[in-house]
Amino acid sequence: MKKHKIRTALIAAAVMFLCNACGGQAADNQTCHVSIDWQTTEECDTAEDGTVLFIGSLYYPIVAIEGNEEAADKINHDIQERLAAFEQDTSVREFARENYVPENGGFISYSQDFTFASRRADNNVISFEAVYAFYSGGAHDNYTSIGLNYHTQTGELIDFQELGENADAFRVDTFAYNRALADTEPYLDRMYGSPSDEELESVLYGEDKWVLSTDGLTFISDTYALGPYSGGAIDFTIPYSELENMGLKEEYRYTGPLTLRLQDGLPVSMDLDGDGTEETILTDTIYGSRPDAKDEFSGYLLINDTDVTNHNDELAKLLLDFPWAQCVLYDLEPSDDTVEIAFITTEYIGEEETPL
């Protein structure tokens, strides 16, 4: 059995953010090199007394495709049109000036952001997840995400109907997988409850609510769509190994290094060390298990029922300080027999709490 063969039927996967990637050789397509340059802009609106009323920011890519400038221009033109449309909406900025009362202290700046993240960039597909976020008072900001998937060779947007050899069967099969995911305990814990088939389909199969990431087809469920704000955005990812069985067209398959983000509470079977035997990997976050944990939560990693944190002091401390660190199986060097385990954390540093 190949080391990348995943037997676990229910896997929630996502991908690491990538800033650039090298394309490989695809059947009947030219080999190309894809690179992404990231740009950021920010503007502020202040009151006469110096109070910052509004902050608007953009973080977006500029795509370059070696030997195929026409396709890159199409992609960049589409992204620039979306940025321009976003900037035309000045309602949050206007609300900030209308609602600001100088004699009332403690005003929190309103904000409006449009942020892109790379999900895949290779010879076949260039995809991004783009997040619209705004704050106009209240306990927290609000946001919504979309997926943008482009043909690397043509620069055109990919339609969901194009993905499967049989469009209707592909939709039926992907929905059945998502339905099974929604009924697992980790998903039920984050949602309002078990959604009906109609509700689940309307949320996951909305326009631009999917993205071809480096480890599967990810369906995007925004905050409040299926669960409360505390549950965050709930993604549903179908690995490529499953998608191929559902009839995913060869041109959309991913042949790069394995990247598989583990879902808390859902075990994954994989041969980590190339010995021909699959290990069972499980990660989760639990309450009250360690008295020295921050916020009374701590994370753990089990491999074949062995808690790795009991044998690795550095990992144990990391999961005490960052109990929600994201665990990812990543094949750093495909030519060897091992699959690496990475943990992704976010730390806020400095007075402005810049995320790192």
Side-chain angles (χ1 to χ4, degrees), residues 14 16 22 46 60 62 99 115 151-152 157 160 176 178-179 187 191 197 225 234 264 277 281 293 332 346:
M16 303 168 72
C22 293
T46 59
Y60 61 93
I62 297 179
N99 295 339
T115 304
H151 291 276
T152 305
L157 280 168
F160 185 84
N178 289 329
R179 175 73 268 176
Y187 277 80
M191 298 188 298
D197 286 355
I234 305 172
D264 280 1
T277 302
I281 308 101
L332 189 63
T346 301

Side-chain angles (χ1 to χ4, degrees), residues 281-283 300-303 306-309 315 327 341 343:
I281 308 101
L282 175 67
T283 183
Y300 68 87
L301 171 66
L302 294 180
I303 299 180
T306 297
D307 189 351
V308 180
T309 57
L315 178 59
C327 183
I341 301 176
F343 281 88

Side-chain angles (χ1 to χ4, degrees), residues 67-318:
N68 196 347
E69 290 76 14
E70 183 178 353
D73 288 344
K74 286 183 180 180
I75 295 172
N76 292 325
H77 178 72
D78 183 71
I79 291 173
Q80 289 297 321
E81 284 193 332
R82 295 172 188 274
L83 294 171
F86 176 79
E87 290 185 301
Q88 287 177 3
D89 182 1
T90 61
S91 58
V92 176
R93 168 176 277 180
E94 294 167 359
F95 290 154
R97 188 162 291 278
E98 292 173 4
N99 295 339
Y100 175 62
V101 179
E103 51 270 23
N104 293 343
F107 180 82
I108 300 176
S109 304
Y110 288 10
S111 62
Q112 185 168 308
D113 310 303
F114 193 15
T115 304
F116 286 72
S118 176
R119 293 307 193 206
R120 177 176 164 181
D122 56 39
N123 202 56
N124 296 328
V125 175
I126 299 173
S127 64
F128 301 97
E129 184 175 348
V131 180
Y132 303 92
F134 67 92
Y135 175 78
S136 56
H140 54 72
D141 58 0
N142 295 280
Y143 56 91
T144 185
S145 299
I146 62 170
L148 300 173
N149 305 274
Y150 301 95
H151 291 276
T152 305
Q153 302 295 331
T154 67
E156 300 290 343
L157 280 168
I158 302 170
D159 189 283
F160 185 84
Q161 291 293 106
E162 302 175 31
L163 297 181
E165 296 290 351
N166 182 315
D168 293 338
F170 186 78
R171 184 181 178 108
V172 169
D173 289 344
T174 57
F175 179 78
Y177 192 98
N178 289 329
R179 175 73 268 176
L181 275 181
D183 291 333
T184 61
E185 185 175 351
Y187 277 80
L188 292 173
D189 287 344
R190 297 179 62 186
M191 298 188 298
Y192 296 121
S194 179
S196 66
D197 286 355
E198 292 76 14
E199 181 181 12
L200 188 64
E201 185 170 18
S202 67
V203 170
L204 299 186
Y205 291 82
E207 185 178 1
D208 296 333
K209 304 306 287 187
W210 60 276
V211 62
L212 282 170
S213 61
T214 57
D215 66 345
L217 172 59
T218 298
F219 295 82
I220 304 167
S221 166
D222 289 325
T223 302
Y224 292 126
L226 294 174
Y229 187 86
S230 59
I234 305 172
D235 292 341
F236 294 69
T237 300
I238 306 176
Y240 284 105
S241 57
E242 299 289 340
L243 293 170
E244 291 179 17
N245 295 330
M246 298 175 186
L248 178 70
K249 291 180 181 177
E250 186 174 356
E251 61 190 283
Y252 301 125
R253 297 177 185 179
Y254 176 70
T255 59
L258 169 78
T259 305
L260 180 63
R261 183 170 296 188
L262 272 62
Q263 169 73 43
D264 280 1
L266 287 180
V268 171
S269 296
M270 182 174 293
D271 184 0
L272 296 175
D273 54 10
D275 65 355
T277 302
E278 290 185 330
E279 286 75 34
T280 299
I281 308 101
L282 175 67
T283 183
D284 210 346
T285 304
I286 55 179
Y287 177 82
S289 63
R290 294 281 295 273
D292 51 345
K294 291 185 177 181
D295 300 324
E296 299 183 311
F297 284 91
S298 59
Y300 68 87
L301 171 66
L302 294 180
I303 299 180
N304 290 339
D305 297 324
T306 297
D307 189 351
V308 180
T309 57
N310 291 332
H311 305 278
N312 188 307
D313 293 339
E314 184 178 5
L315 178 59
K317 184 179 186 305
L318 172 73

Side-chain angles (χ1 to χ4, degrees), residues 14-32:
V15 298
M16 303 168 72
F17 288 7
L18 305 176
C19 290
N20 55 68
C22 293
Q25 177 69 46
D28 300 324
N29 286 334
Q30 61 182 9
T31 300
C32 60

